[in-house]
Amino acid sequence: MKKTVFALAAVAALLAAPMSAQAHRGWIQPSSTVLSGAEGWVSFDLAMSNGVFIPDHAAMRVESLTILAPDGSPAEAQNLSRGRLRQTFDLHLDKPGTWKVANVLDFYNAVYKQGGEEKRWRGTAAEMAAGIPADATDVTRSRTLMRVETFVTLGQPTETVFAPTGQGLELVPVTHPNDLVAGEAATFTLMLDGKPAANQTITIARSGLRYRDNPEETTVTTGADGGFSVTWPQAGLYWLNAAVRDVAGTDGVTVNAQYNGVVEVLP
């Protein structure tokens, strides 16, 4: 439980600031995104940092790590190791097709008064009923969903893992994320709770910030159907981010959601 509390607190801090001012960005960086052969291994770095793909702040916790094999079955990370600045693990690709690696956090916050004193609570949906006292008044509840993910492919690309869960912000590729090429346009759809997320800003940042003065960040806006297109200026790893704040949910619960995706663009 202590680990869960620390993980939720870290993500709450990550989501607290507007994206334009946010200091720490979550990302999952694969050592390779496209492999050939009957099997293969990929190593992953996970961190929350000031600049994308530069582990300079804190390792990302992986209590909510989810790995889907090309057939949609769950897979396990191996050789997990947590350092001060980054978390690492290996994945054995033993099935051909596209794999999805995601760290997904889903928790609730509540602010209430008890005996005239304001108090706060944080936990899972299952814990909320017991976590808020029966005599609490002026209760406000919110839900936070954060998805950080990337895709890797062994052999021919597949699409089974693209099926959305209907929870929070999710990216549904139209152009396969392991078939991106510099100078060519790629199309994606952003979903919120299983529905098109219209008029949302997508921030796109390229790797290599340490070695240049210009951050080279761009933004695009989703259309009415949640769709957006990106023409990649050059090869490299790219970080995609979207965030929504205070969306009306059910039972008086407001929703804050964030999506962080990592894709590789080939020459």
Side-chain angles (χ1 to χ4, degrees), residues 188-191 196-202 220-229 242:
F188 306 90
T189 301
L190 185 70
M191 310 289 286
N199 301 316
Q200 298 299 319
T201 299
I202 311 293
V220 296
T221 303
T222 62
D225 60 353
F228 67 96
S229 181

Side-chain angles (χ1 to χ4, degrees), residues 152-237:
V152 296
T153 292
L154 176 68
Q156 291 296 316
T158 56
E159 299 182 357
T160 301
V161 298
F162 298 160
T165 67
Q167 300 291 315
L169 280 173
E170 298 179 275
L171 191 74
V172 178
V174 178
T175 304
H176 197 285
N178 296 135
D179 192 24
L180 307 179
V181 178
E184 296 184 3
T187 304
F188 306 90
T189 301
L190 185 70
M191 310 289 286
L192 177 61
D193 294 337
K195 300 178 181 179
N199 301 316
Q200 298 299 319
T201 299
I202 311 293
T203 299
I204 303 166
R206 186 172 65 85
S207 61
L209 176 62
R210 177 178 291 169
Y211 306 107
R212 63 178 187 268
D213 295 329
N214 186 347
E216 295 184 16
E217 290 189 9
T218 60
T219 60
V220 296
T221 303
T222 62
D225 60 353
F228 67 96
S229 181
V230 182
T231 299
W232 313 101
Q234 56 185 287
L237 280 179

Side-chain angles (χ1 to χ4, degrees), residues 2-117:
K2 182 179 293 186
K3 288 183 178 180
T4 300
V5 171
F6 286 156
L8 298 183
V11 175
L14 177 68
L15 293 175
M19 278 308 303
S20 60
Q22 182 176 297
H24 304 134
R25 299 174 167 191
W27 44 267
I28 300 175
Q29 179 180 3
S31 58
S32 301
T33 62
V34 179
L35 298 90
S36 60
E39 61 176 346
W41 287 84
V42 178
S43 295
F44 296 84
D45 290 347
L46 303 87
M48 296 189 336
S49 62
N50 296 298
V52 292
F53 313 123
I54 303 173
D56 59 7
H57 176 64
M60 183 184 295
R61 295 188 176 275
V62 292
E63 285 84 353
S64 300
L65 184 67
T66 301
I67 302 173
L68 292 181
D71 59 2
S73 63
E76 295 292 329
Q78 299 186 41
N79 305 321
L80 282 89
S81 176
R82 179 178 172 82
R84 180 64 178 251
L85 298 178
R86 64 181 177 178
Q87 169 82 46
T88 65
F89 67 84
D90 297 327
L91 176 62
H92 183 204
L93 307 185
D94 56 0
K95 297 182 179 71
T98 300
W99 300 61
K100 178 162 68 173
V101 177
N103 201 28
V104 185
L105 290 173
D106 182 357
F107 61 93
Y108 288 76
N109 288 286
V111 179
Y112 61 90
K113 289 185 178 180
Q114 186 181 37
E117 180 182 355

